[in-house]
Amino acid sequence: MILGIGTDLANIERIAATLERFGDRFRNRVFTETEQAKAERRADTPGTYAKRWAAKEACSKALGTGLRMGIAWKDMRVSNLHTGQPVMEVTGWAKERLDALTPAGHEALIHVTLTDDHPWAQAFVVIEARPIAAEAQA
């Protein structure tokens, strides 16, 4: 069952200007060390940050709160599997919110996809509740 859907569109040039103006203050407020390391290794650093910004916005919308009600930017972390597929991990209040949304006997899965076409970066997040197999519950 679908628990939430969120999407966001971020302007890469706006993120680049914010990085130029606020530098580490912006990076450290919004992005985890892992996200920063990934972005700084990429040729399109602002585009990488913009996609992750959009993913966090989309995730907060899928959680039904937007960036309010105690969810912090760093409560949502985007990383990649070895295949390159993006994955979203939530901690803190975002995890508490996810747990509250997830029905008993289910596990929550967060699906995220990222794309960009300069000057735009977009993310789409779907939160799914999947029944836990009976043998896993025992």
Side-chain angles (χ1 to χ4, degrees):
M1 103 183 46
I2 302 298
L3 298 179
I5 299 172
T7 188
D8 193 67
L9 186 65
N11 185 289
I12 296 169
E13 293 171 1
R14 179 174 160 253
I15 296 297
T18 302
L19 287 164
E20 180 70 29
R21 182 171 181 198
F22 297 105
D24 286 342
R25 191 168 125 210
F26 171 67
R27 275 190 278 282
N28 294 332
R29 179 174 165 253
V30 176
F31 303 101
T32 66
E33 289 181 15
T34 303
E35 291 169 321
Q36 290 180 47
K38 177 82 164 183
E40 296 300 326
R41 286 192 309 265
R42 294 275 177 96
D44 182 16
T45 300
T48 302
Y49 279 121
K51 285 185 279 191
R52 278 149 178 74
W53 170 281
K56 291 170 185 250
E57 286 274 7
C59 184
S60 71
K61 292 171 185 176
L63 288 168
T65 64
L67 283 160
R68 57 181 175 83
M69 295 176 59
I71 292 180
W73 286 103
K74 289 183 173 183
D75 284 349
M76 299 165 284
R77 180 180 68 121
V78 181
S79 60
N80 297 85
L81 299 177
H82 70 280
T83 60
Q85 176 184 348
V87 292
M88 176 72 69
E89 178 186 350
V90 294
T91 59
W93 200 89
K95 174 75 168 118
E96 291 175 24
R97 172 72 176 162
L98 180 63
D99 290 346
L101 290 172
T102 306
H106 290 72
E107 64 179 338
L109 299 162
I110 302 174
H111 305 278
V112 60
T113 186
L114 309 172
T115 191
D116 65 296
D117 187 6
H118 196 84
W120 300 106
Q122 183 177 30
F124 192 76
V125 171
V126 175
I127 301 175
E128 171 191 9
R130 182 185 308 172
I132 298 171
E135 60 273 4
Q137 293 183 37

